Amino acid sequence: MFFHIVLERNMQLHPRHFGPHLRDKLVAKLMKDVEGTCSGRHGFVVAITGVEDIGKGLIREGTGFVTFPVKYQCVVFRPFKGEILEAVVTMVNKMGFFAEAGPVQIFVSNHLIPDDMEFQSGDVPNYTTSDGSVKIQKESEVRLKIIGTRVDATEIACVVLFANSNLDIACLISPRKPAY
Amino acid sequence: MANRGGKGSYPPSKSGAPNGRQMVLISDDSDSDSDDFFEEEAPPTHSKSNGKASSDSLKTGGKASSFSNGSKGGKAFSAGKGGKGSASNAKPAMSDAELKLQLDMSPNSILLTNCEAAEMLQKIQGHMAILSEDPKIKIPESFDKAFQYAKEGNHFTSAKLVKEILEPLKDYGVNDGEICMIANIGPETIEEVYALIPSLKATRSINEGKIAEALTALANIKASK
């Protein structure tokens, strides 16, 4: 789900940036440092919508850098337990399939895909039921319900099940594309 | 979640009954002991062995996820295997209470529906286009993806009208999160609402009529796709 929240961050600025455009440089640095990041607490920071307040700067001893406390508003996206996400399958292979719901990437392992669904390789790899009635392939839309989450500092792991079915599927939702 | 839904059911682009098969999840112990770590309680009805899914495990082909119950070790999700199943033969994997939406954002946060987020991000995109002319400024990929998701998840023509239609449901036992889910899913029937948001069943006698009215009003402002 999307949220509009106020966050606070301490920004460090090198003295070479001091001058009449100090605020602009702080905001630019804030956007560069924060937009596109993911935290376990707030989820993905999609975009900064405004800066509420920039506090007084404090000079750090020994370095000359100045730390400014900055309050800013931003749009974040974070999955929650009980939420329904509509995801689009992006890749299917014998290990499982990847899907995306906005900035979150979901991986569903083949260990957790029902035995009735077989992996079919070929030009369009897919998982298909034995009777052919259900097929998961690239660009398929799936509706997933999150039934559990675990968060740490930089990523969120969720357990999902397909909404309106009884397929329990565990997956990892991570801002990083996994290497395999 | 044994009920079948309308649009967006699995998979929505293909017809056919969803397979009611369930899986047993067997996995290793979690090593999640970071201080920055906090975990939500896993559903107690599923308690087989633990699981681990991380970016490392993805390299080896993926293992099951682990969801600790606040202590070392943990519970995993499991479900029994069945024969060739249909939705009617499958048992619900979890109770309605366990599937309740659990929002734990800070109090100063404002929940946005997909339509509100799409409108907000549309304005920001205009500014981003100007900024992107500067080669030093890189627009994050997550913005485009989130914007695309919000646009595609937006089933209605106006966020303001959606809010006006759904806001009165608060007086009938529907909380902000559930209202947001109704707006995001865009259900067509009342049964679809209760199937996808089972927590509303508890107050069905109070809210059924009002939700049905809201759905009728929402149908009038649905965007054509």
Side-chain angles (χ1 to χ4, degrees), chain A residues 1-6 31 35-36 40-42 44-49 75-78 80-86 88 95 100-103 107 109-117 129-130 133-137 140-143 145-153 155 157-159 161-168 170-172 176-180, chain B residues 1-5 7-12 15 17-23 25 36-41 43 46 53-55 58-62 65-67 77-79 81 84 90-94 98-106 108-112 114 117 120-121 124 128 131 140 142-143 145-146 149-150 177 180-181 185 192 195-196 198:
Chain A
M1 281 180 173
F2 289 98
F3 285 84
H4 195 211
I5 61 174
V6 176
M31 289 172 67
E35 283 184 347
R41 181 72 184 93
H42 303 294
F44 287 87
V45 179
V46 173
I48 291 173
T49 55
V75 175
V76 298
F77 181 80
R78 191 196 147 173
F80 288 94
K81 179 180 172 181
E83 184 186 352
I84 291 175
L85 288 176
E86 292 180 340
V88 176
M95 312 304 285
E100 279 186 1
F107 173 66
S109 168
N110 65 343
H111 296 293
L112 306 164
I113 293 175
D115 289 343
D116 187 49
M117 296 197 81
T129 50
S130 53
S133 62
V134 178
K135 186 187 273 192
I136 302 173
Q137 62 186 38
S140 291
E141 293 174 8
V142 292
R143 194 180 260 175
K145 181 141 192 164
I146 299 173
I147 57 176
T149 61
R150 183 196 74 191
V151 296
D152 63 16
E155 68 181 17
C158 294
V159 177
L161 80 119
F162 285 111
N164 300 327
S165 79
N166 290 294
L167 302 171
D168 289 327
C171 71
L172 170 70
R176 300 181 297 273
K177 286 188 191 281
Y180 64 94
Chain B
M1 297 290 288
N3 296 326
R4 295 174 66 177
K7 177 188 170 189
S9 56
Y10 165 70
S15 61
N19 194 316
R21 206 154 270 271
Q22 295 181 325
M23 292 295 295
L25 179 63
D36 299 322
F37 208 85
F38 64 92
E39 295 163 341
E40 296 181 26
E41 187 173 334
H46 303 281
S54 65
S55 53
L58 291 171
K59 292 180 186 174
T60 60
S65 292
S66 74
F67 296 88
F77 291 87
S78 69
K81 283 186 184 178
K84 286 188 179 178
K91 295 182 287 186
M94 299 174 63
E98 288 157 353
L99 290 169
K100 190 173 179 174
L101 180 65
Q102 295 182 7
L103 295 176
D104 62 347
M105 289 295 278
S106 53
N108 69 346
S109 58
I110 300 170
L111 186 54
L112 298 175
N114 286 348
M120 200 176 273
L121 295 176
I124 295 171
M128 292 269 195
L131 289 172
S142 60
F143 175 84
K145 289 188 174 178
Y149 179 79
C180 185
M181 281 173 67
I185 297 167
E192 190 179 348
L196 293 173

Side-chain angles (χ1 to χ4, degrees), chain A residues 65-78:
Chain A
F65 277 79
V66 174
T67 302
F68 293 90
V70 179
K71 262 191 197 169
Y72 60 98
Q73 297 169 351
C74 57
V75 175
V76 298
F77 181 80
R78 191 196 147 173

